[in-house]
Each structure stands twice: as C-alpha cells, then as structure tokens.
Amino acid sequence: MAGTISTYVTFNGYTAEVLKHWQDVFGGELNLLTYGQTQMDPSAMPFEPPADSLAHGVLATPGGLISGGDSIDGEYPIRDTAYSMLYNAESVEDAQEKIAKLVDAGGEETMKFETAPWGGSYGQVFDKYGVMWSFSAE
C-alpha cells in the first residue's frame, strides 16, 4: 500500500469540540480517546496531561481523514492564510451547503464562492475556530 497524507490538528484543550463541529458539517465517523482512557503509564510520558484531554481523535469523513489531539504545552497560532483545509466538493451546491453550515455556526466567508479563473468555483471561509477552509467545485 502506498503512503497517504492526511491532516492533523492541535488545539489547546478543545480539539474534540472542533472535530465534533467538523463532523456536523462534513459528516463521517468520529472516534475520540482521552488520556484518561489510554492504558499508558503516566510516568512514561514527558508531560502530565489532564485525564480529559484528547490524546487522539480521528474523523473519517467520506472524503478523507482529519486527526488531532489537544496541545499540552500551550496554544498554537490558528488563524492564518499560510495553510487551509481544502474541500473538493461534489458539486457547487455541495460546497454552498458546507459553506453555509460553517458561516451559520459562527464562521466568516472571506472569499465569496464563485467562478474561478480556471473555470471551476472557489471560495474561502474561516470557521469559528479560526481554521481557513478553501472550497473548490468543478
């Protein structure tokens, strides 16, 4: 089997909340594991995580995997345009539906979803957590 690339996100204590929100928007199956649920010996770890912190979560969407866990040592900068999550929609209507869900939940459409120079449709939304989502549809 060839290697694959998927996304891994880290938030300071609320990664499970983010993954649940994305499951509401994009669908899929979500599996969450807190440090308290692991069988790991706490003395074997280089830090002392709270038992309810997310050790590992996986959202298996129909289009791919998004994994993540809570940061233990502080907050990372989130809102930026140097990266984005790219959703290649099945149709223009599919993209518009997902964009509306993100905006209705507190996100901000920063680039209107419309015809792009290459002929498809493209737009950008920052979700309520500061993550930029790019949307593309043929």
Side-chain angles (χ1 to χ4, degrees):
M1 179 174 143
T4 62
I5 297 174
S6 60
T7 302
Y8 191 92
V9 295
T10 301
F11 298 90
N12 190 14
Y14 57 96
T15 306
E17 177 184 326
V18 173
L19 292 173
K20 288 175 186 175
H21 174 60
W22 292 346
Q23 181 187 31
D24 289 342
V25 174
F26 298 101
E29 183 178 329
L30 179 59
N31 292 297
L32 303 172
L33 178 70
T34 65
Y35 283 101
Q37 294 170 318
T38 69
Q39 302 300 315
M40 297 175 66
D41 176 5
S43 67
M45 298 177 22
F47 51 84
E48 294 183 35
D52 62 346
S53 289
L54 186 64
H56 187 66
V58 178
L59 174 58
T61 72
L65 299 177
I66 303 174
S67 301
D70 284 335
S71 64
I72 302 302
D73 58 356
E75 183 71 45
Y76 298 102
I78 301 296
R79 187 169 174 132
D80 199 344
T81 57
Y83 67 93
S84 68
M85 305 287 271
L86 174 61
Y87 182 75
N88 291 300
E90 292 179 29
S91 64
V92 168
E93 295 77 20
D94 177 40
Q96 290 170 330
E97 174 189 314
K98 303 298 191 282
I99 289 168
K101 284 183 178 182
L102 289 172
V103 171
D104 290 348
E108 173 190 4
E109 188 173 15
T110 55
M111 180 183 286
K112 186 168 175 51
F113 185 74
E114 56 191 13
T115 303
W118 55 87
S121 295
Y122 180 83
Q124 296 173 344
V125 175
F126 276 94
D127 71 14
K128 66 181 179 179
Y129 299 102
V131 174
M132 188 172 103
W133 285 89
S134 298
F135 288 85
S136 180
E138 293 303 315

